[in-house]
Amino acid sequence: MDSQVTTLYAEERQQAIAELVAQRGRLSVNALAEEYAVTTETVRRDLSALERAGVLRRVHGGAVPASALSALESKITDRDLTHADEKDRIAKAAVALLPPSGGSVLLDAGTTTARLAMMLPRDLRLTVVTNAVPIAARLAGSPSVNLHLLPGRVRSSTHAAVGEDTVEALGRLRADVAFLGTNGISREHGLSTADHTEAATKRAMVTSAHRVVVLLDSSKLGREHTVRFAELADVDVVVTDSGADRDQVGALRAAGVDVVVA
């Protein structure tokens, strides 16, 4: 086939792909390959070209419209404004708790776990499993990360996959370390959150990990929410900031939890 004709066909296909992704919000590489009767390698080249042009953003296994991901990241940025410095210190301290190269981690949805994801050492090879769309989007291009995005219904408020499919998928896994967030933690009520589906997913993550590390800013110490997803006995380490109340930290340590104050 003449090279000019080949180029023209590629441009037409890429334009069609861009329009389809814009219409449907997200499409997988396999679905696009089937749609246009080309190989997955061809689709990946098309997506790379479209990403360079700023038309869409590549995510694990496919692509989303650039505008959709920008809006999503904007919401995450808004939430990051609360206790931002503390979350940075917590995430930095959590890096020391990562497993050795070749290990596996579960990353829960949340602004602090998202910061940890951005701090993963480039020379550390890890299998990362997450239910957080923003974390998956940020790690998708990392050559040292073997990334897996959990299935499920994505909540608009947290951008986290939750539900029966998520819990079922987690039930088949065993990770070295799970890094979780929580809305509250207390000696009496354990770790808790307000949503039943979020709680079920977090509970499954706790069960699916050899070691459980909870990342939380000090404002969440002593707080209790409707649904408990873990007891203190299920937690190995809590990483919090220097604003933590001494009595609350003491209560956690008395319950056998290792507390790291960043």
Side-chain angles (χ1 to χ4, degrees), residues 206-258:
V206 169
T207 304
S208 298
H210 289 292
R211 184 172 171 83
V212 176
V213 178
V214 180
L215 311 181
L216 56 89
D217 66 73
S218 56
S219 69
K220 297 174 182 177
L221 289 168
R223 292 177 61 180
E224 297 180 351
H225 290 263
T226 311
V227 191
R228 180 173 57 236
F229 63 85
E231 306 281 355
L232 291 185
D234 299 320
V235 177
D236 296 288
V237 185
V238 165
V239 186
T240 188
D241 61 80
S242 57
D245 180 84
R246 290 185 179 181
D247 291 339
Q248 294 291 343
V249 171
L252 293 178
R253 287 174 173 161
V257 179
D258 182 13

Side-chain angles (χ1 to χ4, degrees), residues 27 41-42 67 74 79 106 142 188 198 215 218 241-242 261:
L27 281 170
E41 289 76 12
T42 297
S67 58
S74 174
R79 295 212 303 271
L106 288 171
S142 174
E188 296 77 14
E198 289 267 8
L215 311 181
S218 56
D241 61 80
S242 57
V261 178

